[in-house]
Amino acid sequence: DDVPRVFSTSYGEDEGSVDAAWMTRVSVEFAKAGARGVSLLFASGDYGVQSMNGDCPNQQFTAVWPASSPWVTSVGATTDRFPEVAASFSSGGFSTKWPRPAYQNATVAGYFARHMGTLPWTMFDPHGRAFPDVSAQGEKFVVVVDGTLDSVSGTSCSTPTYAGLVSLVNELRARADLPSLGFLNPLLYSRGAALSNDILSGSNAGCGTGGFAALQGWDAVTGWGSPDFPRFVKAAVADVLAARASKRGA
């Protein structure tokens, strides 16, 4: 009857290694969770455009599951500051199992139109679900292992970071008597640029190519970019309250 409203999962595997029927069945449950007001965030992966083995079967980029599901929010990784750049390991690209969902159509069409001459077209399916959706810092996180401090990196770091921000926004929405954000992607693809810091450099090169580069707007290595908390709060809380008050006044 009462479940957490945000789940962060640091797990992924090559999309081609997963049974199609199982992926379809699990995605039904992902969709149910989103409709219930639960946000599901999955790490985009740490192998750039290559497979987990570091190769490129059939000279094709490898997508990562469950990050490639249309019903979850996929989180890539950034590094550095001033400027923040794409982490080279951050997986991203296009699914070979899932068609591009409607909420991505305008964004991805614009991405293709702006960068027609720079994309490695023969290496991916342009009709597939594009990922990641967003990103966050993913390098030099400190963890404690057997009482010893250690430094780790990966989208397994960036994903819980972004999830923590979503939890904070949900808390503010609850205080304002608003429901939890639930499935994030419709919001991200309608207001993504207004919620994020655009990442303009770096790439996930691999398979003998430059992979995908971080570019203005959405791109297939950092998504919409890293979170801008004040702007996220404005879009998800303040603007909603203002619209509600305006409607009542009318």
Side-chain angles (χ1 to χ4, degrees):
D1 293 334
D2 187 18
V3 298
R5 296 300 174 181
V6 182
F7 285 85
S8 170
T9 306
S10 294
Y11 154 76
E13 59 183 292
D14 294 350
E15 195 178 57
S17 69
V18 184
D19 179 74
W22 183 82
M23 282 198 295
T24 300
R25 182 67 186 89
V26 172
S27 280
V28 170
E29 300 306 316
F30 290 163
K32 289 179 182 177
R36 192 178 179 184
V38 175
S39 300
L40 302 176
L41 293 90
F42 279 85
S44 75
D46 299 340
Y47 304 94
V49 293
Q50 301 180 143
S51 74
M52 294 179 67
N53 293 326
D55 59 9
C56 302
N58 301 316
Q59 284 301 295
Q60 294 291 298
F61 294 159
T62 299
V64 178
W65 165 266
S68 64
S69 169
W71 302 108
V72 307
T73 298
S74 172
V75 185
T78 63
T79 186
D80 294 341
R81 295 184 299 165
F82 315 121
E84 191 174 10
V85 303
S88 61
F89 58 77
S90 183
S91 293
F94 298 83
S95 174
T96 61
K97 304 294 183 181
W98 299 95
R100 185 166 70 241
Y103 61 75
Q104 287 192 317
N105 279 342
T107 296
V108 176
Y111 170 70
F112 287 159
R114 290 192 302 273
H115 308 293
M116 182 72 67
T118 62
L119 295 173
W121 292 98
T122 62
M123 306 289 284
F124 67 93
D125 180 358
H127 304 292
R129 188 273 206 251
F131 76 106
D133 304 301
V134 290
S135 56
Q137 283 283 324
E139 287 199 338
K140 300 178 182 178
F141 278 63
V142 177
V143 298
V144 178
V145 181
D146 293 332
T148 301
L149 295 178
D150 196 7
S151 176
V152 298
S153 300
T155 53
S156 293
C157 300
S158 58
T159 305
T161 298
Y162 203 100
L165 176 141
V166 175
S167 293
L168 290 173
V169 173
N170 275 344
E171 182 179 355
L172 294 173
R173 285 175 63 90
R175 292 178 184 178
D177 196 29
L178 295 171
S180 59
L181 290 169
F183 181 45
L184 296 171
N185 292 8
L187 170 66
L188 294 174
Y189 284 87
S190 63
R191 301 290 299 276
L195 312 178
S196 309
N197 302 304
D198 200 1
I199 309 302
L200 302 176
S201 60
S203 70
N204 54 6
C207 300
T209 76
F212 298 104
L215 302 162
Q216 184 175 8
W218 182 92
D219 58 68
V221 59
T222 64
W224 287 106
S226 62
D228 183 306
F229 186 69
R231 288 193 289 162
F232 203 127
V233 170
K234 181 179 184 301
V237 182
D239 289 355
V240 177
L241 293 176
R244 177 188 285 182
S246 177
K247 184 176 181 180
R248 287 174 178 170

